[in-house]
Amino acid sequence: MTVSSLADVLTQARQVVECVYLSAILPSPRIWSNVITRDKLQVNDYEARFPAFVLQLLLAVRVILGCVPHVQVGDTETRLECLLNNNKNSDFCAPLTSFDWNEVDPNLLGTSSIDTTCTIWGLETGQVLGRVNLVSGHVKTQLIAHDKEVYDIAFSRAGGGRDMFASVGADGSVRMFDLRHLEHSTIIYEDPQHRPLLRLCWNKQDPNYLGTMAMDGLEVIILDVRVPCTPVARLNNHRACVNGIAWAPHSSCHICTAADDHQALIWDIQQMPRAIEDPILAYTAEGEINNVQWASTQPDWIAICYNNCLEILRV
């Protein structure tokens, strides 16, 4: 059976969960797999047990889509815990473009908005009433981060991993901030053509490096915060605009990029600052790839989405 659509994924997730609940044994039929060559990753049949990460991912998709009437976390169903709104005069705030949860301090959450600001929220868990934990949020700080819309925000693991974050926006710049010194910021990079920068992603193992991409750009730009304004590498093997970036969780020199050319490419950048000409692995999907994620706890697995499909690839 081939994982070819989101509906198939959700159906398989339910079957797997029911099997685990009833027999505590993961399914043994041939479900799916991958065959790896140097040039291409192919999703075919595979006889293996589902890793925990796959189960969590499929369940997360079901939770997001609101189709988990039979799946509960402990004894409670999914519910709204807290609504963060910084606009005191209205029920609505300026549209948000992205958010990032601090991995070191789970009580910190950063959001970016088209109103040129980034907001850092603090979450608090109050006294337990009955079986409900009261969660509230407050604005720790809000700052004008860019001259135009802010499109992405991401915390860095540098400096202890709690206080430093970066953002990108429509003004074509990458800016770095420190919550301990918000009176100034550092411009890490400015696009020469002043194209909007849509996404940024920090290296999981080496916080000196991050990747970003411009609107309608065919390349991913690798930056070193120790050398501002000068890219250390440009990954430009895609033939259509890039949509997603994901660093390997276990390696500082591997990164996956995804684009409208149906390609998911894995790069080895350890030879920087020499030019990186070709990826080491490539996978061709059946549609334009919109996003890519590299599993943090199971680094052998990468998830991509395109059209109405979700595919999980083994590296």
Side-chain angles (χ1 to χ4, degrees), residues 22-57:
L22 294 175
S23 63
I25 301 176
L26 288 169
S28 59
R30 299 177 65 86
I31 304 296
W32 62 279
S33 80
N34 62 311
V35 175
I36 302 179
T37 67
R38 181 170 179 79
D39 300 317
K40 180 179 292 187
L41 296 177
Q42 296 177 330
V43 176
N44 297 318
D45 291 328
Y46 183 64
E47 183 174 357
R49 292 184 295 270
F50 271 74
F53 137 78
V54 176
L55 296 178
Q56 294 167 4
L57 176 62

Side-chain angles (χ1 to χ4, degrees), residues 36-310:
I36 302 179
T37 67
R38 181 170 179 79
D39 300 317
K40 180 179 292 187
L41 296 177
Q42 296 177 330
V43 176
N44 297 318
D45 291 328
Y46 183 64
E47 183 174 357
R49 292 184 295 270
F50 271 74
F53 137 78
V54 176
L55 296 178
Q56 294 167 4
L57 176 62
L58 300 182
L59 283 173
V61 173
R62 289 175 61 86
V63 170
I64 292 172
L65 294 179
C67 54
V68 285
H70 303 294
V71 180
Q72 297 181 350
V73 181
D75 295 327
T76 62
E77 294 185 0
T78 302
R79 64 180 182 272
L80 176 65
E81 290 282 1
C82 180
L83 181 64
L84 305 177
N85 183 6
N86 194 31
N87 191 338
K88 304 302 181 182
N89 301 320
S90 172
D91 292 335
F92 306 97
C93 59
L96 302 179
T97 54
S98 186
F99 75 94
D100 190 38
W101 216 300
N102 191 292
E103 296 182 3
V104 173
D105 185 351
N107 294 318
L108 288 181
L109 179 69
T111 60
S112 57
S113 172
I114 66 170
D115 64 1
T116 75
T117 67
C118 287
T119 304
I120 305 300
W121 299 84
L123 302 180
E124 297 177 349
T125 302
Q127 183 178 2
V128 178
L129 295 179
R131 303 178 67 181
V132 179
N133 291 323
L134 298 180
V135 180
S136 61
H138 66 279
V139 176
K140 292 185 67 69
T141 186
Q142 184 177 45
L143 63 148
I144 298 177
H146 290 259
D147 299 328
K148 297 181 179 180
E149 297 93 334
V150 188
Y151 288 143
D152 201 10
I153 181 174
F155 283 100
S156 168
R157 294 192 177 187
R162 184 185 184 277
D163 298 302
M164 303 183 72
F165 66 93
S167 61
V168 295
D171 58 6
S173 68
V174 180
R175 305 192 182 199
M176 192 167 179
F177 302 87
D178 190 329
L179 292 175
R180 299 163 295 187
H181 306 286
L182 288 175
E183 62 274 8
H184 62 82
S185 63
T186 302
I187 298 179
I188 300 175
Y189 174 74
E190 289 184 295
D191 186 81
Q193 288 79 40
H194 302 289
R195 297 173 299 172
L197 300 179
L198 300 183
R199 288 290 178 261
L200 78 155
C201 188
W202 286 99
N203 189 306
K204 303 299 184 183
Q205 294 293 323
D206 189 341
N208 291 314
Y209 295 101
L210 63 88
T212 187
M213 61 190 188
M215 179 180 292
D216 298 326
L218 308 185
E219 64 181 7
V220 171
I221 301 166
I222 306 299
L223 304 172
D224 186 339
V225 298
R226 299 166 296 186
V227 188
C229 301
T230 303
V232 292
R234 294 180 181 270
L235 311 179
N236 51 16
N237 205 271
H238 284 289
R239 299 184 299 275
C241 60
V242 178
N243 295 323
I245 309 170
W247 288 92
H250 61 302
S251 169
S252 63
C253 58
H254 291 91
I255 185 173
C256 183
T257 62
D260 276 353
D261 60 0
H262 303 196
Q263 294 277 310
L265 307 177
I266 296 181
W267 306 78
D268 185 346
I269 62 172
Q270 62 181 332
Q271 66 181 20
M272 291 188 309
R274 290 184 294 169
I276 312 297
E277 297 181 354
D278 296 304
I280 58 173
L281 289 172
Y283 171 72
T284 302
E286 297 179 0
E288 299 174 353
I289 303 177
N290 300 313
N291 205 352
V292 58
Q293 290 291 332
W294 203 319
S296 58
T297 57
Q298 297 284 343
D300 290 342
W301 301 87
I302 293 177
I304 62 172
C305 60
Y306 60 90
N307 299 333
N308 64 342
C309 300
L310 168 69

